[in-house]
Amino acid sequence: MAKGSSYSVPYRRRREGKTDYRKRKALILSRKPRLVVRGSLKNIIVQIIAAKPHGDEVLVSAHSRELLKNYGWKAPRGNLPAAYLTGLLCGLKAKAKGIKEAVLDIGLHSPTKGARVFAALKGVLDAGLNVPHGEEKLPDEKRIQGVHIAQCAKMLSASTERYMAAFSKYLENKIPPESLPEHFAEVKKAIIAAFKSGGKSHGGG
C-alpha cells in the first residue's frame, strides 16, 4: 500500500471496486435522479435513485425476476434481451410515477458498446424517459431482440451435444432458443399493454 504524508486511504467502497466517488459526485451535482443498472450472471436490476441528505432513495426499481413472474418470460434473465425488457419495465414504472428524466450511472463498469447496461438504457429510452447518452453505445435492434442467440442456436443444432450444452436453460423452460426473437416480442408487448391498460399491479418500486 502506498504511504506518505499526502497519501490518504481510499473509501472502503472504492477499495472494494464498488464506487467511483468522483463520478458519483458529478452525477449528484446534476440534481437529476440516477439510472443505475447492475447485473449478475442470472439477473438484471434497473433502478432510478435520488440522492437525499439522509442517503440514496430508490424511486423506482425493476428486477428481471419480474419478467418471469408477471410477463411470462421463459428465457434466461441475465442476457441482453432480458436487460432491455427490465429497462423498459423500469422506464414505464418511472413514467407512471411522473419521472421524466435521469442520468446514467454505470458505476465502475467499462462503457463497452452494446453491453447489457446499454441494452437496459435502450429499454428506458423506449419507455419515454430522457437520459443523455451516445447512440453509438446502444446495441442494435437485432441483438436486443435476441436474433444473435437464435442464429447461434441454428448453427449449433447440427450437433446435439453442443446444442444441449449451450441452451440447456432454454430447453428446461420449454423455450426453443431459435424462437427467442418472437418470444421477446410477445413479452415486450405484454409489458407495454400492462401499462397502457393501467394493469392490476406493476410490481414494487
Side-chain angles (χ1 to χ4, degrees):
M1 180 180 288
K3 296 180 180 179
S5 58
S6 62
Y7 178 77
S8 59
V9 177
Y11 290 119
R12 176 180 59 81
R13 289 185 63 83
R14 186 65 185 89
R15 295 199 308 271
E16 293 173 351
K18 294 179 179 179
T19 302
D20 184 326
Y21 284 94
R22 289 184 180 179
K23 286 184 180 179
R24 178 180 170 84
K25 181 180 179 181
L27 292 169
I28 291 173
L29 289 176
S30 73
R31 299 187 181 277
K32 295 179 181 179
R34 300 183 346 259
L35 171 62
V36 178
V37 181
R38 300 292 182 261
S40 65
L41 289 176
K42 294 184 177 181
N43 284 293
I44 302 288
I45 302 173
V46 184
Q47 297 176 314
I48 294 182
I49 297 174
K52 302 289 185 180
H54 59 272
D56 283 352
E57 179 180 329
V58 178
L59 305 178
V60 177
S61 181
H63 196 292
S64 54
R65 281 196 295 262
E66 295 176 64
L67 304 179
L68 167 67
K69 182 179 178 182
N70 299 330
Y71 303 102
W73 182 249
K74 296 179 181 179
R77 301 187 302 273
N79 62 17
L80 206 70
Y84 170 89
L85 292 171
T86 307
L88 178 68
L89 180 58
C90 183
L92 291 170
K93 285 185 180 184
K95 281 196 71 179
K97 285 195 170 186
I99 299 169
K100 299 179 180 179
E101 61 181 354
V103 289
L104 181 63
D105 177 359
I106 65 172
L108 297 175
H109 294 291
S110 298
T112 306
K113 174 181 169 60
R116 291 186 303 172
V117 62
F118 294 113
L121 168 61
K122 183 65 166 63
V124 172
L125 293 169
D126 286 355
L129 263 66
N130 178 23
V131 184
H133 65 283
E135 289 288 333
E136 73 280 358
K137 294 294 185 181
L138 301 178
D140 63 48
E141 290 292 337
K142 287 187 176 181
R143 286 185 62 81
I144 284 172
Q145 295 165 12
V147 172
H148 62 298
I149 296 173
Q151 290 176 339
C152 179
K154 289 175 183 177
M155 285 173 35
L156 293 179
S157 61
S159 171
T160 302
E161 185 177 344
R162 291 177 65 193
Y163 180 86
M164 296 291 289
F167 299 106
S168 59
K169 293 298 181 182
Y170 288 84
L171 301 175
E172 282 176 18
N173 294 327
K174 298 180 172 55
I175 171 72
E178 297 89 340
S179 67
L180 181 59
E182 291 78 15
H183 182 54
F184 168 89
E186 291 171 358
V187 173
K188 180 180 178 181
K189 184 177 178 180
I191 293 171
I192 293 172
F195 284 83
K196 280 186 176 178
S197 65
K200 292 182 180 178
S201 172
H202 302 318

